[in-house]
Amino acid sequence: MTRSGFVALAGRPNVGKSTLVNGIVGGKVAIVSDKPQTTRRAIRGVASAPDAQIVLVDLPGVQRPRDALTERMQRRVEAELSESDAALFVVNGEEGIGPGDRWIAGALRGAEVPVVLAVNKVDRLDRPHTVQALADAEALDIAEDIFPVSARTGRGVDELRAHLAGLMPEGPFLFPPGERSDQPREVLLAELIREQVLRRTFQEIPHAVEVFVDEIEDHDDGLTVIRAYVWVETESQKGILIGSGGRMIKAVGSAARRELERELGGHVHLDLSVRVRRGWRADEALLDRLGIE
Ligand SMILES: Nc1nc2c(ncn2[C@@H]2O[C@H](COP(=O)(O)OP(=O)(O)OP(=O)(O)O)[C@@H](O)[C@H]2O)c(=O)[nH]1
Ligand SMILES: [Mg+2]
């Protein structure tokens, strides 16, 4: 008999949820950055073992909504949590437990799903501080099982995966075992491009940027031609993203091309242009079209 089910991720922005999902799945399904609110959509990442399948639902960090975009992100978190078989609550061991974590713990208490707690980033802690972080996590009084992990180095991830698998109900696999993610191809590729923008931008720009893949052409010789837009909200953001003499957009483009080639396993020609799209974060119809629901 096999086991399978859904595990929804919960935690403040930037605690390492997406990094941990990639670690449990064993491949990249979600982009990662050092900026908060990187994840905008619910992304399903599939971890398959011979006898169990865990579908991890990576979610935006829990926060106070500010606009239509963040409101949708928040609603999605609540909906996914209520439909999952378990919640994986991730806290940042390096920063310690704060009011935001306590607020999430309160919300999880109401959601009536079993909660597993991961204290992440223990690679940044010595032994006494790890022990302290685990005790603070215990004091949240939300989870029976608490795992110290480093999503970055992989420490503790196998134990966590095995534990989550054991929590899944008995049932047939939900995804074909070779499948890693449910994202449409153009969304996955757009996200890989956005990751490279996030790496190189600061302050309000990471939040103002969305990437839209408009066209993917697979040629017979193995070349893939991808046309994508980088949307920003103002002319000045556009100027920054293009950079003097086009230097910034060239750097983003060539780094993104390498990531796309790694993902697709062949040569890529990436045609990237920056467009001003005022107020996209408040445009409900556009958010629908972007699959942010
Ligand atoms: N040192 C260390 N850094 C980590 C670890 N896990 C994640 N990070 C870093 O923490 C930052 C945030 O990681 P993400 O995985 O994007 O965090 P997230 O919780 O998904 O963030 P949002 O999508 O914004 O909610 C990145 O710079 C990661 O490289 C870890 O175990 N150790
Ligand atoms: Mg994330």
Side-chain angles (χ1 to χ4, degrees):
M1 191 62 192
T2 55
R3 293 179 177 279
S4 65
F6 292 90
V7 175
L9 276 278
R12 287 185 295 117
N14 222 29
V15 295
K17 297 177 297 299
S18 297
T19 313
L20 189 55
V21 165
N22 292 339
I24 296 173
V25 167
K28 185 160 180 164
V29 296
I31 65 166
V32 165
S33 92
D34 59 359
K35 317 291 190 294
Q37 292 148 43
T38 297
T39 304
R40 291 179 177 155
R41 299 168 177 79
I43 299 171
R44 282 163 190 71
V46 186
S48 298
D51 56 345
Q53 189 172 66
I54 312 168
V55 182
L56 294 135
V57 187
D58 188 19
L59 290 165
V62 173
Q63 54 174 358
R64 196 187 306 272
R66 279 191 318 268
D67 48 31
L69 172 65
T70 41
E71 224 163 77
R72 281 176 182 230
M73 285 159 59
Q74 201 51 44
R75 269 205 309 262
R76 173 76 2 217
V77 171
E78 285 158 20
E80 294 289 345
L81 271 171
S82 67
E83 286 167 13
S84 60
D85 298 293
L88 177 55
F89 180 17
V90 185
V91 298
N92 181 340
E94 188 186 16
E95 280 180 3
I97 307 286
D101 299 307
R102 280 189 279 276
W103 187 82
I104 294 168
L108 286 172
R109 222 166 261 127
E112 291 177 27
V113 285
V115 177
V116 176
L117 218 164
V119 177
N120 191 30
K121 309 200 185 184
V122 295
D123 54 288
R124 302 296 275 265
L125 302 177
D126 59 14
R127 231 189 125 67
H129 283 96
T130 304
V131 171
Q132 183 60 50
L134 291 171
D136 292 346
E138 179 91 56
L140 281 173
D141 194 24
I142 180 72
E144 302 257 308
D145 302 286
I146 302 177
F147 292 81
V149 299
S150 168
R152 180 171 283 178
T153 68
R155 193 184 137 194
V157 172
D158 288 344
E159 291 84 343
L160 175 60
R161 186 194 298 108
H163 179 76
L164 291 172
L167 292 179
M168 296 299 97
E170 289 188 348
F173 283 5
L174 301 159
F175 285 82
E179 210 159 299
R180 231 168 52 197
S181 166
D182 69 334
Q183 291 176 96
R185 190 171 175 225
E186 65 275 11
V187 172
L188 177 71
L189 301 181
E191 286 287 274
L192 291 174
I193 299 168
R194 188 164 65 92
E195 186 173 47
Q196 295 307 318
V197 176
L198 295 180
R199 280 190 169 204
R200 290 167 180 79
T201 53
F202 305 94
Q203 290 165 354
E204 94 281 6
I205 296 190
H207 305 289
V209 166
E210 178 64 348
V211 176
F212 179 73
V213 166
D214 192 39
E215 216 178 331
I216 305 172
E217 268 174 36
D218 294 305
H219 290 220
D220 289 340
D221 57 0
L223 177 75
T224 306
V225 178
I226 298 172
R227 255 176 288 280
Y229 296 111
V230 179
W231 287 338
V232 289
E233 291 191 319
T234 65
E235 288 295 336
S236 86
Q237 291 164 352
K238 178 175 173 179
I240 292 169
L241 257 182
I242 292 173
S244 75
R247 228 168 281 151
M248 173 72 112
I249 194 64
K250 271 190 206 127
V252 168
S254 57
R257 181 175 47 77
R258 281 194 296 276
E259 291 300 313
L260 298 173
E261 288 183 336
R262 196 199 321 250
E263 174 63 31
L264 298 172
H267 287 296
V268 167
H269 175 84
L270 176 61
D271 181 355
L272 205 56
S273 37
V274 184
R275 292 269 170 96
V276 175
R277 184 121 198 177
R278 266 173 233 289
W280 70 263
R281 280 184 280 183
D283 184 338
E284 304 270 3
L286 181 61
L287 294 173
D288 280 342
R289 207 147 66 74
L290 291 171
I292 301 176
E293 44 191 24

